[in-house]
Amino acid sequence: QVQFVESGGGLVQPGGSLRLSCKASDGIFRLYIMGWYRQAPGNERELVATITTCGVPTNYVDAVKGRFTISRDNSKHMMSLHMNSLKPEDTAVYYCNTNLGLGPWGQGTQVTVSS
């Protein structure tokens, strides 16, 4: 079963940027429509952005439109999330998974936006 490992989180000031990475353990990654999810304390996990198998972004949640960009490199079994103009409300643990959340959940990577 494919495994996902997220990285790239950290502490950033409001207005700052981060780039998150997701590494898949298996080349079968290329067959999946993928997504980035986030879960803030006390909240349910939400799907933030999705991308087709060919690398076309398909959906962004309204809260991140125009600020976040999802991309993928199937040759490297990797997916990224470029986050700009970060806001305190973006603070959450970010995860990658298939667009339906069917894979195993990794540890996630913590993003904290605070001054």
Side-chain angles (χ1 to χ4, degrees), residues 27-47:
I28 199 172
F29 162 81
R30 71 188 186 281
L31 301 179
Y32 296 131
I33 298 172
M34 292 293 296
W36 279 100
Y37 298 75
R38 67 184 180 185
Q39 186 168 20
N43 290 355
E44 293 186 355
R45 188 175 289 155
E46 68 169 340
L47 181 60

Side-chain angles (χ1 to χ4, degrees), residues 26-32 34 52-55 71-79:
D26 194 293
I28 199 172
F29 162 81
R30 71 188 186 281
L31 301 179
Y32 296 131
M34 292 293 296
T52 68
T53 56
C54 297
S71 62
R72 70 191 293 168
D73 185 338
N74 288 339
S75 68
K76 297 180 179 178
H77 309 170
M78 292 194 69
M79 180 174 68

Side-chain angles (χ1 to χ4, degrees), residues 3-108:
Q3 305 287 326
F4 302 117
V5 178
E6 303 89 353
S7 63
L11 173 63
V12 62
Q13 292 186 344
S17 299
L18 281 175
R19 177 185 176 182
L20 305 184
S21 294
C22 169
K23 175 69 173 175
S25 61
D26 194 293
I28 199 172
F29 162 81
R30 71 188 186 281
L31 301 179
Y32 296 131
I33 298 172
M34 292 293 296
W36 279 100
Y37 298 75
R38 67 184 180 185
Q39 186 168 20
N43 290 355
E44 293 186 355
R45 188 175 289 155
E46 68 169 340
L47 181 60
V48 172
T50 56
I51 189 166
T52 68
T53 56
C54 297
V56 178
T58 50
N59 283 299
Y60 292 98
V61 68
D62 287 346
V64 308
K65 284 181 180 177
R67 300 188 297 120
F68 289 12
T69 302
I70 188 172
S71 62
R72 70 191 293 168
D73 185 338
N74 288 339
S75 68
K76 297 180 179 178
H77 309 170
M78 292 194 69
M79 180 174 68
S80 297
L81 186 67
H82 295 253
M83 306 186 296
N84 297 317
S85 303
L86 283 162
K87 303 176 181 180
E89 51 264 44
D90 295 317
T91 295
V93 179
Y94 285 72
Y95 303 87
C96 61
N97 208 311
T98 71
N99 67 317
L100 298 178
L102 298 178
W105 293 98
Q107 295 294 316

